[in-house]
Amino acid sequence: MVAIFRTNKGKALTDEANVFFSGIIVRADDRLTSGVAEQRANTALLRLVSAIGALVIVAVVSGAAYGVGRYTRELRVTRDEVNTLNRDLEERVATRTVDLAHARDRAEVLLSEVNHRVANSLALVSSLVKLQSKALDDPAAKDALAETQDRIFAISLVHKRLYGSGGVRSVALDEYLSGLLDHLRTSLRSQVHGVNLSYGIDPIELETDISINLGVVVTELVTNAFKYAYPDAVGEVRVHLKKLADEQAELVVEDDGVGRAEGAPAKGTGVGSRIVNAMCISLGAKIEYQQRHPGTAARLVFSTKPRKGDRTA
């Protein structure tokens, strides 16, 4: 083997081997160099992409920060404007509230004064009716004027109550009807000595107009009971006002007298019955006459709910 390598043929083989391995090494070096170059190119590209991405991120973050800052500033300015408007509105509302309170106080004072003057005027009318009654000799005419006086008193008493109380839009029915019935007891017993009047009134607040209508109804029913229930002028008339559920109230005027025949025409002139029916229409209710043995009961159920557009003070 050594002899072969010493010959020319061996040298040729050695040279060929050197050339072969040199080619392999060169190709390997070329591939390595190409790989390194490609790696460097990829690294440079990656750095470029990273730099561009960083710039994009910085730009986005900067834009977002600018937008948030601008929005915050605008929000602060808007909030300050809203606060200013709110303060201005609150001041206007406070001023308007004070003005309305003063206007309401003035209106209450004026309305109270009106009630006082109306009560005085009705008292004057009642006095004139009484003077006229004294000048008459006809018993029927005197009775008619006496009933007129009681009706006037029922209306004037409401205005007296309104003037003497703190409110001007509502009436305490227990106080109003108690005063009215005490007056009727004195007035009617001067004519019918043997008939007594008793009552039980629940405490109820009612609007002025409704109270007047109810007072007139009570006056008419009690007067009729005194005049017609007891021909022998001995007995009792009872008045009850009860508060019911669902903002309702029940008025009952009853007696133990001779009763009222069903379908019979009204006794006297019939003016009282027409007045009662008219007042019941104003109350939005219908009166019922219940025959008892003995006696009669007039029953009226009405609403105590404030009417639309009115408020109880």
Side-chain angles (χ1 to χ4, degrees), residues 216-259:
V216 173
V217 170
V218 170
T219 299
E220 296 300 325
L221 294 177
V222 170
T223 300
N224 287 341
F226 262 79
K227 290 175 62 176
Y228 304 117
Y230 300 103
D232 56 357
V234 177
E236 182 182 41
V237 177
R238 296 177 295 276
V239 179
H240 302 285
L241 181 67
K242 295 182 180 180
K243 189 174 184 179
L244 305 179
D246 300 326
E247 296 183 293
Q248 299 280 316
E250 178 190 55
L251 171 68
V252 176
V253 179
E254 59 183 0
D255 60 70
D256 301 319
V258 296

Side-chain angles (χ1 to χ4, degrees), residues 150-294:
D150 290 335
R151 293 164 186 155
I152 294 173
F153 181 83
I155 298 172
S156 66
L157 186 59
V158 171
H159 293 282
K160 287 181 181 179
R161 292 285 177 185
L162 291 174
Y163 174 71
S165 65
V168 293
R169 297 182 184 274
S170 66
V171 175
L173 280 184
D174 52 333
E175 298 177 2
Y176 165 57
L177 291 182
S178 296
L180 176 61
L181 291 170
D182 288 341
H183 167 79
L184 291 175
R185 179 193 288 127
T186 302
S187 174
L188 294 173
R189 288 195 67 181
S190 65
Q191 306 171 36
V192 187
H193 300 285
V195 179
N196 187 35
L197 175 63
S198 63
Y199 57 84
I201 310 295
D202 286 350
I204 301 174
E205 286 282 335
L206 205 60
E207 292 176 1
T208 303
D209 292 344
I210 302 178
S211 300
I212 292 175
N213 294 336
L214 191 65
V216 173
V217 170
V218 170
T219 299
E220 296 300 325
L221 294 177
V222 170
T223 300
N224 287 341
F226 262 79
K227 290 175 62 176
Y228 304 117
Y230 300 103
D232 56 357
V234 177
E236 182 182 41
V237 177
R238 296 177 295 276
V239 179
H240 302 285
L241 181 67
K242 295 182 180 180
K243 189 174 184 179
L244 305 179
D246 300 326
E247 296 183 293
Q248 299 280 316
E250 178 190 55
L251 171 68
V252 176
V253 179
E254 59 183 0
D255 60 70
D256 301 319
V258 296
R260 173 178 174 173
E262 186 174 354
K267 296 181 180 180
T269 62
V271 173
S273 297
R274 291 196 294 271
I275 290 175
V276 169
N277 291 333
M279 295 299 102
C280 289
I281 291 174
S282 298
L283 291 170
K286 184 178 180 180
I287 192 166
E288 299 176 357
Y289 293 97
Q290 301 172 348
Q291 302 307 314
R292 298 181 178 178
H293 302 286

Side-chain angles (χ1 to χ4, degrees), residues 124-145:
L124 177 60
V125 172
S126 180
S127 298
L128 294 175
V129 172
K130 186 175 182 179
L131 289 174
Q132 184 66 44
S133 176
K134 289 181 178 180
L136 297 176
D137 296 325
D138 185 357
K142 293 174 74 70
D143 288 344
L145 289 179

Side-chain angles (χ1 to χ4, degrees), residues 32-104:
L32 181 60
T33 301
S34 176
V36 170
E38 184 178 356
Q39 183 68 28
R40 288 177 178 175
N42 290 336
T43 301
L45 180 60
L46 181 60
R47 289 177 179 175
L48 178 61
V49 171
S50 298
I52 293 173
L55 291 175
V56 171
I57 292 173
V58 170
V60 171
V61 171
S62 299
Y66 174 76
V68 170
R70 181 178 178 181
Y71 174 76
T72 302
R73 289 191 298 272
E74 292 177 352
L75 184 62
R76 187 182 299 111
V77 171
T78 303
R79 183 187 60 193
D80 293 340
E81 292 176 352
V82 170
N83 289 337
T84 301
L85 291 175
N86 283 338
R87 285 193 297 270
D88 182 59
L89 182 60
E90 288 174 357
E91 291 176 358
R92 292 184 181 181
V93 170
T95 302
R96 183 59 176 166
T97 301
V98 172
D99 292 341
L100 289 175
H102 290 163
R104 178 178 177 177

Side-chain angles (χ1 to χ4, degrees), residues 103-125:
R104 178 178 177 177
D105 291 341
R106 289 194 296 270
E108 298 288 353
V109 171
L110 290 174
L111 189 54
S112 179
E113 182 63 24
V114 168
N115 284 318
H116 180 54
R117 294 187 180 186
V118 169
N120 289 341
S121 298
L122 290 173
L124 177 60
V125 172

